[in-house]
Amino acid sequence: MNRTNGGANLLALRSHNATLVLDLLRRAGEEGISRLELAERTGLTPQAVSKITARLREEGLAAEAGRRASTGGKPRTVLRLVPEAGHAVGVQLDRDEVRAVLVDLTGRIVAERRAGVDLGRAGAEAGAGAEAEAEAGAGVDAHAAVDAMVREAEPLAAGVRAGALLGVGVALPGPLDHVRGVLHRVTGFPQWEGFPLRDAVAERLGVPVVVDKDTNAAALGLAVAGEREGREPARSFAYLHLGTGLGAGLVIGGAVHRGARTGAGEFGHQVIQLDGPRCTCGDRGCVEALCLDAVARGDLGEAARVLGAGASNLVGLLDIDLVLLGGRTVAAAPDVFVRGVADVLQARARREGAVGGAVPVRPAGGGEWGVAVGAAQLVLGGVFGWGA
């Protein structure tokens, strides 16, 4: 997570300072943290911390968590975050299903829903590039996708008391404009280009909405989970998601990397075989096309090797610390994919004499709800200061 270290004792930055305090309360967990510790870790004065925590208690966001023995003087009162004081909904739209979760301020799942949808994989079987993709995708309306997401999100939102729902995060295949919440030419659905998804969902639900690629949302969720579980998260890692498609979420220097035009992470469409099979993007020999073809043939070992070739390119380009694998296809045979990708990375490390050996490969945490939870974390980022 990319946070500012240290607060500022200025009224103009009061909300910024409150964000720093809230994030420390979140990371302290149920044991809580004292006002003195908050002052030391934020760089704020004790007086400023007292004012902020008093306001947070009035708003129901913080509460006393008992007292802790002091090295001198009277015992210190410790404070904790109140998880149920706020909630966020996270929605994952895939090509054949919608998943939605309601989470509290700690990111814990309170409720979940899922339903099948029939968006199809436009152009996947057409095999004739962009024209066939457009023909196969005709009639698959973006408004129908909005309907599907709203059907799953509304019941979850309805169960939250007034004022406690912070917003809805939506994660789906890209590319898209994260800042404006507008879809670009989503692979398989060319007619969705320019659709204002964020505004369409916000109008239906009546709450703030954040939109991002599914892989970015998952990467954010993984980074936050590492902190929540007391682990020091990798500063730079790639999350590779293999399901109905293939994409990557990148965390570089502790922050989700989206690129200058929010187009980073289109990992599946790197060409590694010039005369390979036609991909839904219109090119030939993309990692995604080769991987999905191998999966369709039941050759998961080959799919893992292809994924490893793409991962090797990524590791060589970005020099990242860790590769995490996720998505329903990986989840069905995690050992096969972890071993296959790791073998390719280890072979490269041996050839190059890499210092420290090969980059480690692990299955991603979060399970089948990881993307949806990451979508909810896009909303919580506004509360805790990890910028969505």
Side-chain angles (χ1 to χ4, degrees):
M1 316 315 309
N2 192 19
R3 300 185 182 84
T4 302
N5 293 320
N9 294 298
L10 299 172
L11 285 175
L13 296 181
R14 185 170 59 183
S15 61
H16 165 76
N17 291 336
T19 294
L20 293 174
V21 170
L22 275 169
D23 191 49
L24 287 172
L25 288 171
R26 176 189 66 85
R27 285 189 275 170
E30 295 182 0
E31 293 184 2
I33 185 171
S34 71
R35 292 177 179 82
L36 180 59
E37 289 172 303
L38 289 170
E40 291 172 347
R41 296 186 189 183
T42 60
L44 296 167
T45 65
Q47 294 82 359
V49 167
S50 292
K51 289 181 180 179
I52 291 170
T53 55
R55 187 167 65 252
L56 294 178
R57 290 184 64 188
E58 290 174 3
E59 295 171 352
L61 290 167
E64 288 191 2
R67 294 180 179 274
R68 184 181 300 160
S70 173
T71 55
K74 63 181 182 180
R76 298 174 184 171
T77 299
V78 293
L79 301 172
R80 64 172 178 85
L81 183 71
V82 179
E84 62 273 19
H87 293 83
V89 171
V91 181
Q92 177 194 6
L93 177 67
D94 210 337
R95 297 173 187 274
D96 58 358
E97 70 173 5
V98 175
R99 293 175 182 264
V101 296
L102 177 70
V103 306
D104 63 19
L105 290 179
T106 67
R108 181 181 66 88
I109 297 177
V110 177
E112 59 193 36
R113 291 173 59 90
R114 64 182 293 183
V117 296
D118 190 20
L119 300 181
R121 293 193 58 229
E125 276 68 52
E131 291 182 6
E133 177 194 44
E135 180 181 349
V140 183
D141 191 351
H143 290 283
V146 172
D147 290 342
M149 290 186 286
V150 169
R151 279 197 302 271
E152 301 311 309
E154 273 186 327
L156 298 180
V160 179
R161 64 177 175 80
L165 183 62
L166 302 171
V168 174
V170 175
L172 74 161
L176 53 82
D177 183 336
H178 157 76
V179 176
R180 296 189 301 130
V182 174
L183 301 180
H184 287 169
R185 190 181 177 89
V186 179
T187 305
F189 302 97
Q191 74 282 7
W192 287 13
E193 184 171 9
F195 183 77
L197 181 68
R198 181 190 65 191
D199 293 345
V201 176
E203 182 178 357
R204 293 283 299 277
L205 294 176
V207 296
V209 173
V210 181
V211 173
D212 207 343
K213 289 196 296 189
D214 46 12
T215 50
N216 287 343
L220 175 65
L222 290 167
V224 173
E227 290 187 345
R228 187 172 65 242
E229 295 166 7
R231 294 183 284 106
E232 183 64 30
R235 294 290 296 167
S236 298
F237 69 85
Y239 166 71
L240 306 183
H241 184 96
L242 179 59
T244 59
L246 174 61
L250 305 174
V251 171
I252 306 296
V256 176
H257 178 71
R258 297 181 175 88
R261 290 166 292 280
T262 72
E266 290 301 310
F267 170 83
H269 299 297
Q270 55 173 308
V271 174
I272 62 173
Q273 183 180 336
L274 293 177
D275 59 349
R278 181 77 70 177
C279 182
T280 54
C281 72
D283 217 329
R284 287 188 177 275
C286 293
V287 176
E288 177 178 301
L290 294 168
C291 255
L292 294 180
D293 181 63
V295 170
R297 289 186 281 106
D299 191 347
L300 298 186
E302 174 65 13
R305 287 189 290 273
V306 172
L307 185 58
S312 178
N313 290 340
L314 195 59
V315 168
L317 182 65
L318 298 178
D319 193 21
I320 52 179
D321 303 320
L322 175 67
V323 173
L324 296 173
L325 306 181
R328 70 176 73 169
T329 303
V330 170
D335 292 342
V336 173
F337 280 96
V338 169
R339 184 171 59 251
V341 173
D343 285 348
V344 176
L345 295 185
Q346 287 166 3
R348 176 179 184 137
R350 286 193 297 269
R351 288 195 307 271
E352 298 179 348
V355 177
V359 172
V361 181
R362 296 203 299 261
E368 59 183 353
W369 297 94
V371 174
V373 171
Q377 294 287 4
L378 293 168
V379 176
L380 296 184
V383 177
F384 299 113
W386 55 65

